[in-house]
Amino acid sequence: MKKQLQILLIALAIMLVACDKPIVPKPKDLIKEKEMVNMLVDVHLAEATFNKFRYDSIMRDNSAANFYASVLEKYEVPDTLFEQSYVYYASMPKKFEKMYREVMNKLSEMEQEFSGRKEQLEFDDEAIQNKR
């Protein structure tokens, strides 16, 4: 029983270490993490915009690909490099999860600014500080 537990712990340790190493080779011109996060934010905004207006008569001649292309054009990144970088980062689950948490935080901040909730939160914080 003790031997089985040792083997199980060793196997678990190997699996945990393997999760941090990329399976996919690093692209020659890998997009830096911060830029990739910013690009992913813009990709999600482009997707949301397309989904919101896709049935509008103005959008009839557009596709989601046009929106993705506009993001790539903004950052001056070829689609192949974006794909290679995305796959590379996705092959490292811990790092990719951290990056996506940052993406979600940025999108949440944008949503708060857009909806006016950020100003309300700042106003509430000032009111609390003034009471002290």
Side-chain angles (χ1 to χ4, degrees), residues 112-125:
Q112 287 176 359
E113 286 177 16
F114 182 74
S115 68
R117 286 187 290 175
K118 186 172 185 179
E119 287 110 24
Q120 183 61 42
L121 291 172
E122 289 171 355
F123 179 76
D124 291 346
D125 285 343

Side-chain angles (χ1 to χ4, degrees), residues 30-127:
L30 179 69
I31 299 170
K32 293 181 181 173
E33 275 186 57
K34 286 194 180 248
E35 186 175 16
M36 190 69 174
V37 166
N38 291 332
M39 288 182 77
L40 290 170
V41 167
D42 287 345
V43 163
H44 285 290
L45 290 172
E47 273 182 357
T49 302
F50 176 75
N51 287 330
K52 180 174 172 80
F53 297 111
R54 86 167 124 192
Y55 298 111
D56 196 316
S57 61
I58 297 171
M59 299 296 289
R60 250 183 221 143
D61 296 331
N62 283 315
S63 69
N66 293 341
F67 285 83
Y68 294 125
S70 68
V71 172
L72 296 174
E73 191 175 297
K74 174 183 175 181
Y75 289 92
E76 298 177 352
V77 172
D79 59 345
T80 54
L81 178 59
F82 178 78
E83 285 178 33
Q84 290 170 351
S85 297
Y86 184 87
V87 169
Y88 174 75
Y89 286 124
S91 73
M92 298 180 293
K94 288 181 182 179
K95 180 178 279 215
F96 198 58
E97 182 181 355
K98 180 183 169 200
M99 289 171 65
Y100 249 96
R101 266 189 262 128
E102 195 173 333
V103 168
M104 297 309 292
N105 288 339
K106 286 184 177 212
L107 289 170
S108 292
E109 285 177 17
M110 291 172 141
E111 180 185 28
Q112 287 176 359
E113 286 177 16
F114 182 74
S115 68
R117 286 187 290 175
K118 186 172 185 179
E119 287 110 24
Q120 183 61 42
L121 291 172
E122 289 171 355
F123 179 76
D124 291 346
D125 285 343
E126 285 180 26

Side-chain angles (χ1 to χ4, degrees), residues 18-33:
C19 287
D20 284 343
K21 294 181 182 177
I23 299 169
V24 177
K26 184 176 179 180
K28 181 181 174 190
D29 298 321
L30 179 69
I31 299 170
K32 293 181 181 173
E33 275 186 57

